[in-house]
């Protein structure tokens, strides 16, 4: 905690002359350096905790939405944010009001460097943490689906029932031999395929997306429309591969993305 002390006396307003003012001017800056150094050290401690725990927590969280891991991540970000806010408040309310003209430049530079560094620590704290291995999840979903498909027999006559299309939800199907209705259940994991189709498709189209971003940075968003279109088409093609039978819905999604892009309301 930053402790306020007698700045009037320190700044030479109660005697001591120019030499006394210069000495205590240095003391003010030194105190600020010590204060921000301690806050930075705390950020480094939090970063160590992230490096030691984040991947382990992400791997251990079996929830497909990684809610426990995301709670941990949110708590860590909240700690960083609190430290940044504390430092900013102290700088604005307690350090700058008590600094003389010469000190203001030094402590401002000190604060700006500190803030830039700790924001960088917070921003990149979780870099390298693989929250979800979507390819692995998809493979497991498809393994479960194939097992369910292979085991699908008519409950009445026992005939092996063939699936004419991909079903990612429980579906009633009629036995072609005895006309009995049977319920095909793709499995709990397979039912999640719909929810990972887009992020998995995006992960498979990183090169197209990076090409679009590079082009956009060079010529602007409107001139990069064709590059964005190539990226979106590649993503939609992957979604069709991941989730067959949903081509019409995916085409509507493509149309919506391009409409939004052309109206410049898609944030990138």
């Amino acid at each position: 905690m930053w402790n306020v002390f007698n700045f009037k006396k320190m700044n030479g307003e109660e005697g001591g002359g120019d030499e006394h003012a210069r000495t205590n001017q240095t003391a003010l800056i030194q105190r600020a350096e010590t204060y921000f150094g301690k806050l930075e050290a705390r950020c480094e401690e939090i970063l160590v905790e992230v490096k030691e725990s984040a991947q382990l927590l992400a791997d251990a969280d079996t929830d497909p939405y990684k809610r426990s891991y995301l709670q941990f991540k949110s708590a860590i970000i909240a700690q960083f944010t609190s430290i940044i806010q504390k430092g900013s408040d102290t700088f604005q309310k307690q350090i700058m009001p008590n600094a003389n003209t010469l000190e203001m430049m030094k402590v401002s530079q000190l604060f700006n460097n500190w803030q830039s560094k700790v924001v960088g620590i917070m921003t990149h704290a979780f870099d390298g943490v693989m929250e979800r291995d979507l390819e692995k999840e998809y493979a497991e979903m498809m393994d479960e689906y194939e097992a369910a498909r292979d085991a699908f027999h008519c409950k009445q006559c026992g005939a092996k029932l063939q699936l004419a299309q991909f079903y990612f939800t429980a579906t009633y199907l009629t036995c072609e031999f005895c006309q009995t209705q049977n319920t095909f259940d793709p499995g709990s994991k397979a039912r999640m395929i719909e929810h990972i189709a887009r992020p998995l498709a995006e992960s498979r189209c990183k090169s197209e997306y990076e090409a679009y971003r590079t082009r956009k940075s060079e010529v602007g968003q409107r001139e990069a429309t064709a590059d964005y279109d190539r990226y979106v088409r590649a993503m939609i093609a992957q979604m069709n591969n991941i989730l067959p039978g949903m081509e019409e819905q995916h085409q509507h999604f493509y149309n919506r993305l391009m409409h939004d892009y052309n109206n410049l309301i898609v944030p990138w």
Side-chain angles (χ1 to χ4, degrees):
M1 182 76 180
W2 179 271
N3 296 315
V4 179
F5 42 89
N6 194 333
F7 285 98
K8 286 186 177 181
K9 185 174 182 179
M10 282 186 58
N11 289 332
E13 296 181 22
E14 295 184 3
D18 292 341
E19 183 177 350
H20 184 70
R22 285 195 296 271
T23 300
N24 288 286
Q25 171 187 338
T26 302
L28 171 66
I29 294 171
Q30 288 177 343
R31 274 192 81 185
E33 289 176 342
T34 299
Y35 175 74
F36 288 119
K38 288 181 178 179
L39 292 185
E40 183 180 325
R42 176 56 188 144
C43 288
E44 295 288 356
E45 291 174 359
I46 296 172
L47 181 61
V48 170
E49 180 183 356
V50 171
K51 298 304 181 184
E52 291 178 348
S53 305
Q55 190 62 64
L56 293 175
L57 289 171
D59 293 342
D61 190 354
T62 57
D63 181 352
Y65 297 105
K66 298 292 182 181
R67 279 170 281 206
S68 294
Y69 166 76
L70 292 178
Q71 287 177 358
F72 166 79
K73 184 176 181 179
S74 296
I76 291 293
I77 296 299
Q79 290 185 58
F80 280 126
T81 302
S82 177
I83 291 172
I84 293 169
Q85 187 61 55
K86 179 180 179 181
S88 180
D89 288 346
T90 299
F91 173 73
Q92 296 292 342
K93 298 176 181 179
Q94 298 189 51
I95 299 177
M96 283 297 284
N98 295 290
N100 61 37
T101 303
L102 294 175
E103 291 169 329
M104 285 182 179
M105 182 177 295
K106 179 64 176 179
V107 294
S108 292
Q109 183 180 17
L110 176 65
F111 170 73
N112 289 334
N113 290 342
W114 169 83
Q115 186 180 54
S116 177
K117 185 169 184 178
V118 296
V119 168
I121 291 174
M122 177 182 69
T123 302
H124 298 289
F126 290 87
D127 287 0
V129 178
M130 184 178 290
E131 297 183 9
R132 299 180 67 179
D133 186 341
L134 294 176
E135 291 290 356
K136 180 181 178 181
E137 290 183 34
Y138 179 64
E140 292 175 349
M141 292 172 183
M142 291 306 298
D143 286 344
E144 184 179 73
Y145 181 84
E146 294 296 335
R149 187 183 65 175
D150 292 342
F152 188 42
H153 292 76
C154 178
K155 62 182 179 182
Q156 179 65 32
C157 69
K160 177 72 173 68
L161 301 182
Q162 302 297 321
L163 302 182
Q165 64 184 71
F166 183 85
Y167 297 101
F168 60 92
T169 60
T171 307
Y172 289 112
L173 298 172
T174 301
C175 174
E176 60 180 306
F177 301 101
C178 68
Q179 306 306 308
T180 299
Q181 274 203 333
N182 296 266
T183 302
F184 173 72
D185 184 355
S188 58
K189 289 183 179 180
R191 285 195 290 271
M192 298 299 297
I193 291 178
E194 180 183 18
H195 302 286
I196 73 164
R198 179 180 179 180
L200 178 56
E202 289 174 341
S203 72
R204 291 178 175 181
C205 299
K206 288 181 179 178
S207 61
E208 289 87 352
Y209 178 66
E210 289 303 321
Y212 153 68
R213 286 192 62 186
T214 299
R215 178 66 173 166
K216 177 188 170 186
S217 68
E218 294 172 348
V219 300
Q221 182 161 330
R222 285 196 178 277
E223 294 300 320
T225 299
D227 302 88
Y228 180 73
D229 180 75
R230 278 191 288 273
Y231 160 64
V232 175
R233 287 184 182 277
M235 181 179 69
I236 294 300
Q238 286 294 337
M239 291 178 69
N240 289 338
N241 291 333
I242 295 165
L243 198 60
M246 299 287 289
E247 288 80 7
E248 183 177 352
Q249 290 88 334
H250 295 160
Q251 181 61 40
H252 291 322
F253 180 50
Y254 163 81
N255 293 340
R256 185 169 74 251
L257 288 177
M258 294 309 302
H259 175 270
D260 290 346
Y261 185 88
N262 288 326
N263 283 279
L264 302 179
I265 62 173
V266 176
W268 288 97

